[in-house]
Amino acid sequence: MTILVTRPSPAGEELVSRLRTLGQVAYSFPLIEFSPGRELAQLPERLAALSPGDLVFVLSQHVVHYAQPLLRRNHLKWPENLSWFAIGRTTALALHTVSHLPVRYPLDRETSEVLLQLPELQNVAGKRALILRGNGGRELLGNNLASRGAKVDFCECYQRCAKIYDGTEEAFRWRERGVNTLVVTSGEMLKQLYTLIPEWYRTDWLLHCRLVVVSERLAIVARELGWQDIRIADNADNDALLRALQ
């Protein structure tokens, strides 16, 4: 098994390093990179506008990575009187580490659907919900909270940008190295990979690779694009991906 990990840095490199320690052949090929979000500077005033007991959702550890230095520069702390939620354990841990606040998160899968099942989110009518995210994504979460009577607002704290590669060059390189297993953690990156690789390499090599993804929704997209050998990790963190790859 030769594995190509398309996760962005630093999580992608960490997974490759762990795979190599276990004797696997693995390479890092990050498809996206991150930069500060267009609304990051507005975060302090957005938080200040909330009332005690209002809800804040942190949808990625990248939110914490960009927001924490901003709050520190402004001599501000993560407000204690709000209810904090994270999309999953890794993000919750990142937030708790810098804020020391209790953070609720779904215990099994890192999806909006599972997050919305938390008991604390069943009766949110009249509350304000601030969703801290990247550029786009998680519309399902906002729509559901709004349908339950919450007043929903978004704040773009970071941006995902596609990394630019020469598709033919990369396809030749990875096929020559015998890559037969791909790790992809978002629909955006899956479509980007599919589009990047020229058609001949796509039908001859890419679609024959085993694909490890992080949700049933992503597996459905993969099947529609033409992959057949698909494995779903039980979560989106590196521990779960490692289990799926072993």
Side-chain angles (χ1 to χ4, degrees), residues 47-55 79-83 127-128:
L47 290 172
L50 298 174
S51 303
D54 280 343
L55 321 169
E80 290 176 27
N81 59 359
L82 303 172
S83 296
K127 294 195 174 186
R128 295 183 67 176

Side-chain angles (χ1 to χ4, degrees), residues 98-116:
V98 298
S99 69
H100 308 296
L101 297 174
V103 184
R104 298 166 187 83
Y105 63 95
L107 293 175
D108 43 2
R109 300 191 73 83
E110 298 190 10
T111 68
S112 298
E113 292 90 334
V114 182
L115 177 59
L116 284 158

Side-chain angles (χ1 to χ4, degrees), residues 10 26 42 62 76 82 101 106 137 148 157-158 162 216 218 223 225-226:
Q42 299 169 23
H62 302 294
L76 297 170
L82 303 172
L101 297 174
R148 295 177 188 183
C157 294
Y158 69 94
E216 181 56 50
L218 196 44
R223 279 186 210 106
L225 289 172

Side-chain angles (χ1 to χ4, degrees), residues 26 45 71 82 114 130 141-142 161 175 180 183 198 203 207 211-212:
E45 63 191 76
L71 294 177
L82 303 172
V114 182
L130 178 61
L141 177 62
C161 321
R175 186 172 171 271
N180 56 11
V183 176
T203 50
L207 293 173
L211 184 65
V212 178

